[in-house]
Amino acid sequence: MIRAGIALASCVALLTIGGCSSDPNSIAEQAKRGDQKGYIAGNGAIEQIPVAKRLKPITLEGTTLDGTEWSSTSARGKDIVVINLWGSWCPPCIEEVPDLEKVWTEVQAAKKPVQFMGIDFRESPERGRAFVATQNMTYPSLSDESGVLILAFGRQAPTSPPSTLILDRDGRVAARASGVVSAATLRGLIDDVLKS
């Protein structure tokens, strides 16, 4: 009798688990499809890191979508660097492009010591270049088809696109935004890092 009860409970548990995993919107099912439509969007958190609590400088380097070699060390001591993790397969990334482009245009016009660098996350350079062209993005982006460039940030790495990080003049992460960042928020973060 006890064995029958345990067997019945086990069957119910298996059916329940099976029912959950058959949800077409579950992360597991999205991963199985491999169509890159499944992602976990950022939670919108904004974090500013006081100078005394910033970790060691990071070095981000790679090849841009147009084939140019780039390293964050080129900005060291003179510019701050805004880094944005994106992918053409990520709807919130598409949403924030106009705001990023607007702020990029503004800092260039004002001749502020600010560089922008995107990271085209987990897609081919060809697909990334097509996206850049259709979205009229004028700031450069590194190609990161294998998804390893964010490892340069260690435990400060963004979890998923869209994410934006700002490196201070010493190459340390000074601010980060998880999820879509507005032009107003990005302007404020840039100005605060420039003052620090």
Side-chain angles (χ1 to χ4, degrees):
M1 190 75 166
I2 294 173
R3 285 184 184 167
I6 292 171
L8 179 60
S10 297
C11 286
V12 170
L14 285 172
L15 286 172
T16 302
I17 292 168
C20 291
S21 66
S22 65
D23 177 1
N25 295 317
S26 73
I27 298 299
E29 288 301 314
Q30 292 175 23
K32 283 180 194 171
R33 284 197 299 271
D35 58 7
Q36 293 190 320
K37 289 182 182 171
Y39 63 92
I40 301 171
N43 60 10
I46 307 292
E47 182 181 9
Q48 292 179 285
I49 302 151
V51 174
K53 293 191 175 180
R54 293 175 192 169
L55 302 180
K56 291 180 180 179
I58 66 101
T59 299
L60 175 67
E61 52 193 5
T63 306
T64 63
L65 291 171
D66 67 5
T68 304
E69 294 299 315
W70 183 85
S71 173
S72 60
T73 58
S74 65
R76 209 69 60 81
K78 51 183 181 174
D79 297 336
I80 69 169
V81 183
V82 176
I83 297 168
N84 177 258
L85 184 69
W86 63 271
S88 68
W89 45 268
C90 158
C93 298
I94 299 168
E95 179 187 334
E96 75 174 355
V97 167
D99 280 357
L100 288 163
E101 184 63 32
K102 183 175 186 179
V103 177
W104 165 239
T105 303
E106 290 170 359
V107 298
Q108 280 193 303
K111 299 191 183 318
K112 290 186 177 182
V114 180
Q115 293 185 31
F116 270 47
M117 182 58 68
I119 300 177
D120 181 18
F121 188 62
R122 291 197 178 273
E123 65 184 345
S124 70
E126 295 78 21
R127 189 169 173 177
R129 283 193 291 271
F131 178 79
V132 164
T134 59
Q135 298 299 314
N136 299 312
M137 290 169 65
T138 61
Y139 54 90
S141 287
L142 296 171
S143 176
D144 188 20
E145 189 169 4
S146 59
V148 299
L149 291 183
I150 61 169
L151 298 178
F153 294 94
R155 62 186 175 138
Q156 304 173 89
T159 55
S160 64
S163 294
T164 303
L165 299 103
I166 302 179
L167 304 182
D168 65 15
R169 289 181 178 93
D170 294 324
R172 301 172 300 174
V173 175
R176 56 185 159 228
S178 176
V180 174
V181 65
S182 70
T185 297
L186 186 54
R187 276 190 213 103
L189 291 174
I190 288 171
D191 287 342
D192 287 347
V193 175
L194 284 171
K195 290 173 193 170
S196 67

